[in-house]
Amino acid sequence: MAKKIVIETHSAEETIKLGKKLAKHLKPGIILILAGELGAGKTTLIKGIAMGLGVSKVIRSPSFTLVKEYPEKKFYHLDLYRITLDEFLQAGFEQYLSKENICAIEWGEKLKGLKIKNYMEIQIKMKKGDTRVIDFVPHGNYAPGH
Ligand SMILES: Nc1ncnc2c1ncn2[C@@H]1O[C@H](COP(=O)(O)OP(=O)(O)O)[C@@H](O)[C@H]1O
Ligand SMILES: [Mg+2]
């Protein structure tokens, strides 16, 4: 299994750049599970990923809408801040986790009960000022189907 990668950023712009770079390595079936307190930069990183995937319109935090869909890129941005695992399942959101899609899930640690085997855990920690320490921890074969 690949090892954890730790990257530090010092501004929102740098985190967006990192997301853009990360997007180049994403393949269908990848699930990104993002953890980190409010304001850590989860949405910012995902914004960079969306830009890197070539999504034309700028995305905003989906905290109010739970899911942002970019079907033309098969990219799905979920934010579970306001819902429980039960509500996730009842809403049928499990369907997004298919091997054709790329999913980025804020507060994705709520899905622990689903025992997802293959995913990339991304933990963002806030440090002094605008510094963020971002851990990328692969679990299983986080690029299923490849
Ligand atoms: N290094 C950094 N990376 C990401 N965001 C940063 C950074 N430094 C400051 N920020 C700011 O922190 C906030 C992160 O917000 P957001 O991405 O919505 O966080 P989350 O989705 O984790 O709640 C934004 O206001 C952003 O401008
Ligand atoms: Mg957010």
Side-chain angles (χ1 to χ4, degrees):
M1 197 168 94
K3 277 209 199 110
K4 157 168 123 170
I5 293 171
V6 183
I7 295 174
E8 208 175 278
T9 67
H10 306 91
S11 67
E13 293 69 31
E14 221 183 296
T15 298
I16 286 176
K17 224 187 243 174
L18 178 63
K20 282 187 187 171
K21 251 195 212 169
L22 177 59
K24 306 275 173 274
H25 300 279
L26 298 178
K27 299 183 178 93
I30 285 189
I31 298 172
L32 305 175
I33 299 245
L34 288 96
E37 57 192 285
L38 272 180
K42 302 180 294 299
T43 302
T44 303
L45 183 66
I46 294 170
K47 182 175 163 182
I49 292 172
M51 290 166 85
L53 288 173
V55 163
S56 42
K57 66 177 170 159
V58 176
I59 58 171
R60 302 174 63 194
S61 171
S63 293
F64 312 102
T65 56
L66 306 180
V67 185
K68 291 266 175 176
E69 306 191 353
Y70 302 92
E72 79 281 11
K73 302 288 171 200
K74 290 196 178 293
F75 177 54
Y76 299 89
H77 172 190
L78 287 79
D79 188 331
L80 309 185
Y81 182 58
R82 287 162 204 281
I83 64 168
T84 63
L85 174 57
D86 278 349
E87 286 164 339
F88 174 90
L89 294 171
Q90 274 158 29
F93 288 165
E94 222 177 345
Q95 70 177 12
Y96 289 112
L97 311 176
S98 94
K99 60 179 197 293
E100 283 96 59
N101 295 341
I102 297 171
C103 288
I105 310 175
E106 296 188 48
W107 303 93
E109 66 268 30
K110 289 189 181 182
L111 301 183
K112 256 191 187 125
L114 292 183
K115 303 228 186 307
I116 296 169
K117 281 202 197 90
N118 306 312
Y119 64 99
M120 173 72 87
E121 180 186 350
I122 302 176
Q123 279 180 8
I124 308 181
K125 278 166 282 181
M126 300 171 82
K127 301 284 175 186
K128 247 202 217 134
D130 287 347
T131 299
R132 304 290 190 269
V133 177
I134 309 176
D135 288 356
F136 295 86
V137 189
H139 293 261
N141 167 20
Y142 67 93
H146 291 269

